[in-house]
């Protein structure tokens, strides 16, 4: 039986991602490519960012699992644009996002209660457990959903 915290994590990862995908699928091609204002990312650029950062946060969480007490992060500064996003379809970007999430879920399924409690130091956010790092993923989805909604 899974710990309740793990069940909650998996449920939130799934529900937030489902909402995000639905939100993007409701956009026209033009809406998905449009930047709300200078310096802001389009929805397509945000999808590239979400997939890249999901893989990065998972890498950090697994490093903390394997090396409790280690330091991880911060990421490289966000680029002003993800130029490759415009050449790709929304469907392709959503598939990349789904692939990143499948890798995350597979890794989570292997974690024990003890693994979730291991702690490390994120250089921007301070001391965090593996569970807290993984919770950052659905919170990150929510933040970008809000940005895409305007």
């Amino acid at each position: 039986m899974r710990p309740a915290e793990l069940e909650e994590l998996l449920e939130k990862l799934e529900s937030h991602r489902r909402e995000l995908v639905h939100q993007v699928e409701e956009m026209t091609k033009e809406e998905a490519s449009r930047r709300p204002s200078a310096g802001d990312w389009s929805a397509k650029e945000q999808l590239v960012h979400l997939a890249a950062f999901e893989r990065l946060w998972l890498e950090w969480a697994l490093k903390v699992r394997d090396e409790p007490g280690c330091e991880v992060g911060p990421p490289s500064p966000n680029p002003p644009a993800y130029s490759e996003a415009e050449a790709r379809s929304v469907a392709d970007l959503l598939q990349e996002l789904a692939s990143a999430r499948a890798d995350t879920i597979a890794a989570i399924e292997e974690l024990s209660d003890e693994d979730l409690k291991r702690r490390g130091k994120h250089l921007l956010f301070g001391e965090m457990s593996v569970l807290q790092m993984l919770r950052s993923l659905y919170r990150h989805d929510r933040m970008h959903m809000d940005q895409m909604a305007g």
Side-chain angles (χ1 to χ4, degrees):
M1 184 167 176
R2 290 184 186 146
E5 290 175 322
L6 188 58
E7 286 294 333
E8 178 186 16
L9 170 66
L10 291 167
E11 186 278 323
K12 286 186 176 181
L13 285 169
E14 194 275 326
S15 66
H16 282 65
R17 182 55 55 87
R18 184 177 53 244
E19 283 183 60
L20 183 139
V21 168
H22 177 73
Q23 180 180 1
V24 172
E25 288 176 337
E26 293 293 309
M27 294 178 179
T28 64
K29 282 183 178 182
E30 294 76 23
E31 288 169 335
S33 294
R34 184 180 317 124
R35 289 177 152 205
S37 62
D40 290 335
W41 292 331
S42 69
K44 289 172 71 173
E45 288 173 306
Q46 290 188 57
L47 294 174
V48 171
H49 169 80
L50 284 166
F53 269 65
E54 177 139 350
R55 294 188 188 283
L56 186 59
W57 274 93
L58 177 60
E59 180 183 311
W60 290 339
L62 296 178
K63 182 174 181 178
V64 168
R65 176 201 63 191
D66 296 340
E67 302 171 32
C70 70
E71 292 184 343
V72 296
S76 301
N78 286 327
Y82 285 95
S83 57
E84 70 273 20
E86 289 313 308
R88 297 174 65 190
S89 69
V90 168
D92 182 47
L93 295 170
L94 289 174
Q95 181 55 45
E96 181 178 339
L97 202 59
S99 174
R101 182 53 51 92
D103 292 345
T104 298
I105 298 300
I108 289 171
E109 295 284 356
E110 300 295 320
L111 296 174
S112 68
D113 192 38
E114 180 63 32
D115 292 337
L116 293 171
K117 294 175 183 172
R118 290 187 180 145
R119 302 181 77 75
K121 181 180 180 189
H122 188 282
L123 295 174
L124 287 180
F125 301 113
E127 189 175 312
M128 297 178 78
S129 68
V130 169
L131 179 61
Q132 288 170 317
M133 289 182 172
L134 295 169
R135 284 177 175 155
S136 296
L137 297 173
Y138 66 78
R139 292 176 177 144
H140 195 218
D141 278 3
R142 174 60 59 193
M143 181 184 77
H144 284 281
M145 286 170 56
D146 292 345
Q147 288 176 2
M148 285 186 261

